[in-house]
Amino acid sequence: MERREKVGEEIEVVGARYYSKDFEWENLRHEVENSPSLRHHCQPHIVISSSSSSSGEDAEAWKSFHNRHSRGRFFKERRYLLKEFPELLDAHGWYTILEVGCGNGSSVLPILRAKDTIVVYACDCSMVALERAKEAVDAAEISQKLRFHPFYCDFSIDGFPSWIFCNACREKFHVEAQNNLSDVVANEEANAMRIAGTRDVQCCIGGVDFVTLIFTLSSVPFRSMPFVIANCYSVLKPGSLLLFRDYGLYDMTMLRFLPTQRVGNREYKRADGTRSYFFSLDTVRDLFLNAGFIELELEYCCINLLNHHNGKNMRRVWVHGKFQRPI
Ligand SMILES: C[S@@+](CC[C@H](N)C(=O)[O-])C[C@H]1O[C@@H](n2cnc3c(N)ncnc32)[C@H](O)[C@@H]1O
């Protein structure tokens, strides 16, 4: 029998396949858009200059957030992640993952536990969060020596460092792929050599096999999202996957924001200055396809959760997506 457990922001179905549909998103949409008390979430947002902020300010808000929560583990380990993204387990040999906006390691931990041959690079704009993530990985009883590489990066301004995938290697990959288009075996051999770390150049790690964007894209201003996604695309090896999970349009947490907290269409600012965006499937599709990705999976995950304090049902909506960088 399946059992549901609340895990931080989300639920995990224990002992069953990953589960994503308690209710129809279209029914929720109809209800919200026809409710007078919720209509303000759907109306076009008029931009007021004082409501916008610089990307630097947004990263500062996240740094303060992590400073305030540095003692407790605010984000819980996302144990459902591997059920949702089984391809993280299916890959063979050594492979690399870039977890973008890793916080204190909620997504990093289950990935590192899953296999001894996964190497995780993880960035955040908060040194405190990176330190907490490192402590969590060190404390976990897993063979993680040299498999976890946290690094500081404000990805909404700087992009990713060139040691992940330098221009020369990107170009080389591109030329090789063109030369070997009809020679799949040669491509696979070249890929296996790169993954095994037998590359003869030491300029960079040769790109990554997966990028994970787990509740991170929603935390940057909407206007910065195309830049962030383009950078994710640029560090992926051709043919590799970007795994996406984030807040969905009309999620219960969106409907709790006050009209005064709205800073854009579907975009809100909490009292502490951190942001949250709520994605429709169309918006996610536009963002990723415009960056050059191929859509493999994209759906709403609609789950009923019981609030044990007040006995009320909470309708949670998340967006689940898998996108591929073309070969
Ligand atoms: C909601 S948390 C998600 C954490 C993690 N991915 C997980 O699965 O729990 C969003 C994270 O993105 C980080 N972040 C927000 N804006 C950033 C930026 N511009 N550069 C780097 N990290 C950023 C925050 O510090 C925070 O740790």
Side-chain angles (χ1 to χ4, degrees), residues 55 58-59 61-63 65-66 75-76 78 80-81 99-108 123-126 129 152-157 212-221 228 246-247 270 275:
S55 299
D58 292 305
W62 278 104
K63 286 179 196 171
F65 170 91
H66 286 295
F75 297 114
K76 300 280 181 285
R78 299 192 191 279
Y80 62 87
L81 209 64
E99 159 55 353
V100 178
C102 64
N104 58 11
S106 308
S107 297
V108 163
C123 70
D124 206 282
C125 63
S126 159
Y152 175 90
C153 169
D154 180 343
F155 53 71
S156 67
I157 295 177
T212 50
L213 261 182
I214 313 291
F215 293 98
T216 291
L217 197 60
S218 58
S219 66
V220 301
V228 175
D246 219 318
Y247 296 108
R270 301 181 186 91
R275 281 168 181 268

Side-chain angles (χ1 to χ4, degrees), residues 58 64 272:
D58 292 305
S64 307
D272 65 5

Side-chain angles (χ1 to χ4, degrees), residues 41 43 257:
H41 293 289
Q43 283 159 354
F257 276 109

